[in-house]
Amino acid sequence: MPDLGRPPRPAPLDVDPRPEPGSFRDPANRIFHAGDDVLRALDRTAAADWRALAASSFFPPLLTAGKVCGTEELPAESPLRELPTAPESPGWVTVLRHERVPFVSHPYEWSFAMLRDAALLHLEILRAALPAGFTTKDGSAYNLQWRGTEPVFIDVGSFTPLRDGEPWAGYRQFCQTLLYPLMLGAHLGLAFQPWLRAQVDGIEPEQMGPLFRGVRRLLPGVLTHVHLHGSVQRRSAATSTADVRAQLRDAGYTRELAVATVRGLEKLVRRLDHQPAATHWVDYQHTCGYSGDDRAGKERFVVAALSAAGRRRLVLDLGANDGRYARLAARHADYVVAVEQDPAVVDRLYRTLRGEDERHVLPLVMDLADPSPGGGWRGIERASFAARANADTVLALALVHHLAIGRNVPLPEVLTCLAGLAAPGGRLVVEFVHPDDPMAARLLANKPDGIFPDYRRDAFETLLAEHGTVEDRLELPSGTRTLYRVALP
């Protein structure tokens, strides 16, 4: 496993830097990619802020602890400092190189416990920054990513010196992308993922207010952070930031009060909890009908497939359920992304992996029949799941029949999708559940007769051959399931 706490080696000189599509809202700094390097270009003001930050008492310990992504300033002679600028830009003064996180995910792909842990890290960092004379310009959930089950703050450009009487500029973003989604789950039992996916800026106070009328106004945090926040926001819409800062300074708003406010938010977030209702997917591994021999044969096949081509960089485990095969894959790969549709299953898996301090497996909530699309400005500010995947190996175990029969996705489309998530020259490890298997038969029983005439093993194998070379196959002892290892072009 690479050392994720340090920036990677410099990129070759012949790699052209390309700007990150999601990094354009702060003109003082911009993210670029050059090969495996993640670079942050800073203008004169941002560069001065960075050097003050690097010399502060609070920031280096956060770096050492891995709570902020690994960051270093490139020397003046580095060729990587030659980054493009916009015509209206005065130019970049310096360039930072960041640690590359193993896989970029979005907050609407996280479980409740993941979102809460991300919120707590955000607040912990802010609480450390304020006494040292720093704050953050942003409070967005998108400022955090993951090393397995360990959240990490990535927006180093967000730190800025604190001015007297200045409120936390990121408070609104924090509420809309972290606090409000947690309240939906903890107070109302609602899944927050569709809300965050629908709006890149999160949930507005005006959307939250109608959900918390009557006695619900008295639930923890609602009066202050929903109704009062919304009211203040409406009243101050015509007031400049400078005026608000002056009013707070005149009212005696101090750094100590700001720290107390953050501590209050931390206390509130820790109180918010939600255990998603259990579904039949929670116990699927015990109810899916595998015999002991089937399970043992399947595990041997998967391990052999993962071992065949040497250590893998990235493995996708699609339909991961309780993470059984994701854990197996983690022994043979630098990183595993375990995708599962059910938020309750992902939340349970995350809490279990967190207890094991697992940093090689990232569990995500996603419906593979409706995966995360591109979002934000021009649909590219937040990359789609397909654009981020690029895996060395894709595991699709006990998945195809759920998509083809359960969701009416034609077999050719299913295989095109699965193969498209792999990098060139990657591997697909896929399981075909025969029509006479009890699980497939149960799904087919709910469909009109004759609607799936092409759901057959021979048709499936013909499609596999169109996508790559079948290197290995195994029919499980039950005789109703077959596993394939396919080398993709």
Side-chain angles (χ1 to χ4, degrees), residues 144-351:
L144 297 120
Q145 287 297 324
W146 297 87
R147 304 185 194 98
T149 56
E150 178 190 47
V152 56
F153 188 85
I154 63 169
D155 191 9
V156 172
S158 176
F159 290 102
T160 188
L162 179 66
R163 289 181 285 184
D164 290 338
E166 183 173 283
W168 180 28
Y171 172 69
R172 176 175 177 173
Q173 284 185 328
F174 182 86
C175 287
Q176 294 185 181
T177 63
L178 288 160
L179 183 60
Y180 291 169
L182 292 172
M183 285 182 168
L184 288 181
H187 293 332
L188 303 181
L190 296 176
F192 65 82
Q193 290 86 358
W195 296 70
L196 285 184
R197 175 171 156 169
Q199 297 177 160
V200 72
D201 291 329
I203 308 168
E204 301 279 351
E206 292 76 13
Q207 295 170 307
M208 289 287 286
L211 300 175
F212 289 92
R213 303 291 191 196
V215 295
R216 287 181 177 173
R217 294 171 64 93
L218 304 179
L219 290 169
V222 171
L223 274 175
T224 300
H225 300 291
V226 176
H227 293 293
L228 180 59
H229 178 199
S231 176
V232 170
Q233 194 166 283
R234 288 190 294 272
R235 290 201 307 270
S236 62
T239 306
S240 71
T241 301
D243 289 341
V244 171
R245 188 183 300 119
Q247 292 169 11
L248 286 171
R249 186 170 54 248
D250 294 343
Y253 187 81
T254 63
R255 188 177 302 180
E256 290 72 22
L257 284 175
V259 172
T261 300
V262 174
R263 290 188 185 278
L265 277 170
E266 281 186 292
K267 183 178 179 180
L268 170 61
V269 170
R270 290 186 190 280
R271 290 180 65 187
L272 298 175
D273 198 8
H274 173 55
Q275 298 284 347
T279 66
H280 75 283
W281 297 110
V282 170
D283 295 316
Y284 182 72
Q285 289 289 354
H286 302 289
T287 62
C288 62
Y290 284 104
S291 68
D293 288 343
D294 277 2
R295 194 179 299 278
K298 181 174 177 177
E299 289 188 5
R300 285 194 299 270
F301 185 90
V302 171
V303 168
L306 291 165
S307 306
R311 190 165 184 83
R312 306 279 78 191
R313 175 188 56 85
L314 175 66
V315 172
L316 296 183
D317 183 11
L318 306 179
N321 198 258
D322 65 358
R324 184 186 192 97
Y325 294 96
R327 285 182 173 87
L328 285 177
R331 301 173 191 170
H332 304 274
D334 291 342
Y335 207 65
V336 180
V337 176
V339 178
E340 174 57 50
Q341 176 182 349
D342 192 317
V345 174
V346 176
D347 204 65
R348 176 179 291 191
L349 176 58
Y350 169 74
R351 293 173 192 250

Side-chain angles (χ1 to χ4, degrees), residues 75-157:
E77 63 275 11
S78 172
L80 292 177
R81 290 177 62 124
E82 300 299 322
L83 297 176
T85 60
E88 69 277 8
S89 171
W92 307 122
V93 172
T94 194
V95 175
L96 309 179
R97 182 168 58 215
H98 293 308
E99 159 199 353
R100 178 179 289 277
V101 296
F103 188 86
V104 173
S105 60
H106 302 322
Y108 45 84
E109 298 166 349
W110 305 346
S111 74
F112 181 92
M114 293 175 74
L115 193 75
R116 186 176 63 177
D117 285 350
L120 289 171
L121 177 62
H122 208 308
L123 293 171
E124 177 187 349
I125 289 171
L126 181 61
R127 178 166 46 82
L130 289 170
F134 280 83
T135 185
T136 56
K137 293 183 283 188
D138 306 304
S140 172
Y142 292 95
N143 289 349
L144 297 120
Q145 287 297 324
W146 297 87
R147 304 185 194 98
T149 56
E150 178 190 47
V152 56
F153 188 85
I154 63 169
D155 191 9
V156 172

